[in-house]
Amino acid sequence: MKVIYPGSFDPITNGHLDIIERASAKFDEVVVAVLVNTQKKGLFSMDERIEMLEELLYDYSNVKVEKFSGLLVDFAQANEIDAIIRGLRAVSDYENELQLAHLNRFLSKDDNLETLFLTASPKVSFVSSSAIREIAQLGGDITGLVPEKVAKKTYKKYQGR
Ligand code: ADP
């Protein structure tokens, strides 16, 4: 089974990595798809996000990193994806994720694109990219929440701002 794990990954956190590792162990192929968001600039550029992901995921032979723009269903169909993987951290994620899952299924050919949810591991269930950006900007400690190199690059972004 070939699955896609879409997200912004701005930046990648240990929460994302936990989902990717677990998906990689259960599915034949995992495509980590970085969404090109034309509305929002983000902290890291697309190239920087892809570079960090590729470096961190180098050892996972069944995981590849791609960028995508446009509708996820179109990208999934063009790449013969069997299912979408999403992470659930708390009930607050559920409402939005439920709507997305229904929409993606509705938009797909023959209502065929399923979304499969992995529940966040308790040790990282409180981590989000937005929290990482905010803590780093305010000079707080993000050690243990993101990989070391990601932490360094995040702090660097806010230096001199
Ligand atoms: P988006 O901006 O599309 O929500 P994110 O990069 O924030 O993209 O997240 C991508 C997916 O990863 C979402 O399904 C989100 O719920 C999940 N996710 C984010 N952080 C964690 C975490 N700490 N543990 C488990 N899943 C997570």
Side-chain angles (χ1 to χ4, degrees), residues 5-16 18-19 22 35 40 85-89 93 96-97 100 117-121 124-130:
Y5 179 46
S8 312
F9 307 105
D10 186 30
I12 176 134
T13 69
N14 287 347
H16 296 130
D18 175 67
I19 297 285
R22 287 160 59 201
L35 173 70
K40 227 168 56 183
I85 297 291
R86 295 287 283 179
L88 285 180
R89 285 164 287 195
D93 276 344
N96 185 36
E97 291 294 340
L100 282 177
F117 294 102
L118 293 182
T119 49
S121 295
V124 288
S125 67
F126 52 90
V127 185
S128 66
S129 298
S130 56

Side-chain angles (χ1 to χ4, degrees), residues 4 6-7 33-39 46 67-79 84 100 104 107 113:
I4 188 167
V34 190
L35 173 70
V36 180
N37 190 341
T38 45
Q39 320 278 326
M46 181 53 61
K67 66 174 165 187
F68 83 101
S69 53
L71 280 178
L72 178 61
V73 274
D74 294 337
F75 183 84
Q77 269 155 200
N79 287 276
I84 300 166
L100 282 177
N104 283 323
L107 291 171
L113 188 58

Side-chain angles (χ1 to χ4, degrees), residues 16-141:
H16 296 130
L17 281 174
D18 175 67
I19 297 285
I20 297 167
E21 272 170 32
R22 287 160 59 201
S24 150
K26 292 285 178 210
F27 301 105
D28 302 310
E29 280 180 76
V30 180
V31 178
V32 176
V34 190
L35 173 70
V36 180
N37 190 341
T38 45
Q39 320 278 326
K40 227 168 56 183
K41 200 177 156 278
L43 181 64
F44 288 97
S45 70
M46 181 53 61
D47 288 346
E48 289 171 322
R49 292 181 216 182
I50 301 258
E51 195 187 306
M52 282 190 276
L53 281 161
E54 280 181 342
E55 199 180 320
L56 288 163
L57 299 170
Y58 182 79
D59 290 334
Y60 295 88
S61 57
N62 64 342
V63 177
K64 69 174 180 181
V65 181
E66 304 262 8
K67 66 174 165 187
F68 83 101
S69 53
L71 280 178
L72 178 61
V73 274
D74 294 337
F75 183 84
Q77 269 155 200
N79 287 276
E80 294 173 329
I81 299 289
D82 298 300
I84 300 166
I85 297 291
R86 295 287 283 179
L88 285 180
R89 285 164 287 195
V91 178
S92 50
D93 276 344
Y94 178 77
E95 238 171 281
N96 185 36
E97 291 294 340
L98 183 69
Q99 183 190 18
L100 282 177
H102 284 314
L103 279 172
N104 283 323
R105 189 152 171 258
F106 176 85
L107 291 171
S108 65
K109 197 167 164 276
D110 305 325
D111 286 354
N112 208 17
L113 188 58
E114 298 286 357
T115 300
L116 308 177
F117 294 102
L118 293 182
T119 49
S121 295
K123 63 180 190 300
V124 288
S125 67
F126 52 90
V127 185
S128 66
S129 298
S130 56
I132 294 300
R133 294 194 301 269
E134 199 173 339
I135 299 166
Q137 184 172 21
L138 299 172
D141 190 1

